Amino acid sequence: MKRAFFEWSAMGISALAITCFGYWAASKITRTADSRMAWRFLDVSLSDGTVTLAGLEAIEKSLSFLPEDLNLPGFELRFVTTAGGNRMGWIKFSLLIPASILLLAAAYPIYKYRKLRNAAAISEKPAASSEPAVHPLD
């Protein structure tokens, strides 16, 4: 059961990583891969290999200790205070970041699966006999 769990976990996480990388490549090449979705408090847009999350009220309140702008390679966090005193923010990050994280996360189930598979292969080998080996032509 463990072997199947690690096998399917490795395949699922790897598939998600490949999907993120594929969508990053497709959105860099063509504009037809761009999309935008909106929910009550969240606006998500995917374009040019990046994901932008805007209107994050819960995140804006919990990340109030951060500076107005935080720029890292492939990651951008910005807050804007409006004239009415409302604080609005957005997070923009490259799809290569979740692809890399998922690829690293897939390494653990792959390692555990290989370890269990090797242990099963060793346990299936017949025990060595105490008799000396005889060549068939002797």
Side-chain angles (χ1 to χ4, degrees):
M1 185 67 182
K2 281 184 179 180
R3 186 173 165 186
F5 174 76
F6 287 124
E7 181 180 13
W8 283 96
S9 296
M11 287 190 299
I13 295 170
S14 298
L16 285 174
I18 291 169
T19 301
C20 285
F21 180 75
Y23 193 83
W24 172 82
S27 67
K28 284 292 215 182
I29 294 170
T30 179
R31 296 287 169 228
T32 58
D34 296 351
S35 63
R36 185 172 182 198
M37 298 165 272
W39 289 287
R40 282 194 288 179
F41 301 111
L42 183 63
D43 183 28
V44 179
S45 64
L46 300 150
S47 65
D48 198 31
T50 61
V51 178
T52 304
L53 305 172
L56 307 168
E57 294 179 9
I59 292 176
E60 291 162 10
K61 292 176 184 172
S62 64
L63 297 177
S64 61
F65 61 91
L66 289 174
E68 292 291 320
D69 294 330
L70 178 64
N71 292 321
L72 299 170
F75 181 82
E76 181 180 343
L77 173 67
R78 292 197 183 246
F79 291 109
V80 177
T81 305
T82 62
N86 295 333
R87 193 167 190 223
M88 296 171 39
W90 66 88
I91 297 174
K92 185 176 184 179
F93 58 91
S94 172
L95 277 171
L96 290 179
I97 292 174
S100 301
I101 291 170
L102 288 167
L103 193 60
L104 289 173
Y108 179 73
I110 290 170
Y111 167 75
K112 294 296 280 186
Y113 169 74
R114 290 181 61 129
K115 190 174 177 181
L116 286 171
R117 188 184 66 185
N118 289 340
I122 289 171
S123 68
E124 290 176 359
K125 288 184 180 177
S129 68
S130 60
E131 298 177 13
V134 178
H135 193 275
L137 298 178
D138 287 341

